Amino acid sequence: DILMEATDLSDPIKVENEVIKLNNEAMQNLCKKDKSKSIAALLKAQSLLLSSCLQADDKKLGTLISLTMNNQACYYKDQGKPNVALSFLAKALSELSLIHIS
């Protein structure tokens, strides 16, 4: 199964590694034109970030959220939805700017 067991959500390093793995899978599947697997992996990464042990003020959390949003933008651009893609890019940029301000 792609998602980690619930017990692993307490380990920030495992969460980080799983989110990166899911994002990599999503982009590989997008390149293979397997769009359903791509968006599924991105949504699982997003869900994992929302339910993880990473602290809201943690720079790693912001970076992982930004990565996932950027990849969601790639997905929606590939789907022919440029406005949705731009929305995700704006959110990703906003998240990164918050990291650099703090």
Side-chain angles (χ1 to χ4, degrees):
D1 188 45
I2 292 177
L3 264 183
M4 299 170 16
E5 295 178 23
T7 54
D8 290 331
L9 291 176
S10 63
D11 184 342
I13 293 172
K14 287 183 180 178
V15 170
E16 179 183 359
N17 289 338
E18 185 68 13
V19 169
I20 291 169
K21 178 182 152 208
L22 286 165
N23 272 277
N24 285 335
E25 276 181 30
M27 293 298 93
Q28 288 171 2
N29 284 318
L30 192 60
C31 288
K32 294 183 216 172
K33 301 296 181 195
D34 193 341
K35 295 173 185 173
S36 61
K37 284 185 180 178
S38 178
I39 193 63
L42 289 168
L43 292 175
K44 286 178 184 178
Q46 184 177 4
S47 175
L48 189 56
L49 286 166
L50 292 173
S51 61
S52 78
C53 59
L54 296 172
Q55 299 299 317
D57 61 346
D58 186 358
K59 289 184 180 192
K60 279 195 191 293
L61 177 61
T63 301
L64 293 170
I65 289 171
S66 184
L67 170 69
T68 303
M69 288 181 177
N70 181 72
N71 289 341
Q72 285 174 312
C74 293
Y75 169 82
Y76 285 108
K77 180 183 178 284
D78 188 71
Q79 289 290 99
K81 298 180 180 181
N83 290 336
V84 178
L86 283 172
S87 172
F88 275 99
L89 284 175
K91 290 176 187 176
L93 184 58
S94 174
E95 195 66 43
L96 282 177
S97 66
L98 289 174
I99 293 169
H100 292 292
I101 290 172
S102 58

